[in-house]
Amino acid sequence: MEANEPGGRSARKHQAILEAATAVFMEKGYARTSMDDIAKLAAVSKQTVYKHFADKETLFAEIVMATTDRVDAMIDAVSDIPADAASLEENLVRLAHRFLTTLTHPQVLQLRRLVIANADSFPELGAAWYEQGFERVLATLADTFRHLADQGLLRIDDATLAANHFSGLLLWIPVNKAMFHGSPQHTQPELDHYATAGVRAFLAAYR
């Protein structure tokens, strides 16, 4: 905490720096972003930025890892699929909509591109972001599919592979388009179609 500065004010400055850094990193990329840019947008001095974050790499890492908290709600949704044969497709489509809405959010896609672009420079950060984010969702989804298989609703030999198949059927088109175009290219009706068609293809293979 900064000397003679109340905790609330320091916390607000900390958050302002994080928000400013996120905006600048996503606009300019890591290499072209300076601490001066971040300080200007956050309306603080560069000295204040350095009091909160030792260097640009530390600030970048905190921004990246902070987003993994967003998967907690997704994990709750993935683990809450009722073992009901009559509504299995409906429940999976509902999950697929949640999956697509969360993982194709513009800021999530921007951050994904940013992490990938800097994976050579920060391989451990990229690996940690994947493991603590998307991989946690896949692990929970695999556990859920095992449970559904135990109840006789699915036929699964490799639950982890099935979880990857499910997510791939949903995300392949919108995420790849966004990665190559630099911004989301899908409409909501297209996401709705990917959700329904992806679940039907998954169930054709695994039910």
Side-chain angles (χ1 to χ4, degrees), residues 168-202:
L169 287 166
L170 300 178
L171 299 172
W172 177 263
I173 296 173
V175 170
N176 273 312
K177 279 187 175 182
M179 291 300 100
F180 286 106
H181 285 84
S183 62
Q185 302 296 304
H186 53 265
T187 63
Q188 188 58 50
E190 286 175 332
L191 288 186
D192 294 341
H193 175 65
Y194 298 149
T196 302
V199 168
R200 288 176 180 170
F202 178 81

Side-chain angles (χ1 to χ4, degrees), residues 78-156:
V78 166
S79 61
D80 191 30
I81 302 176
D84 182 356
S87 60
L88 179 61
E89 182 173 338
E90 178 185 348
N91 290 331
L92 287 177
V93 168
R94 188 178 300 113
L95 172 63
H97 278 286
R98 182 80 171 270
F99 215 81
L100 280 163
T101 299
T102 300
L103 296 178
T104 61
H105 187 279
Q107 192 175 59
V108 173
L109 291 171
Q110 282 182 299
L111 185 64
R112 179 189 178 99
R113 294 182 75 244
L114 189 60
V115 171
I116 291 172
N118 292 279
D120 287 342
S121 300
F122 307 110
E124 293 182 358
L125 178 60
W129 187 69
Y130 179 79
E131 291 164 3
Q132 295 182 36
F134 190 55
E135 194 167 63
R136 286 172 55 209
V137 176
L138 287 175
T140 303
L141 187 58
D143 288 340
T144 298
F145 286 164
R146 287 188 193 96
H147 174 68
L148 294 175
D150 290 341
Q151 300 301 311
L153 276 68
L154 296 175
R155 295 180 295 104
I156 290 178

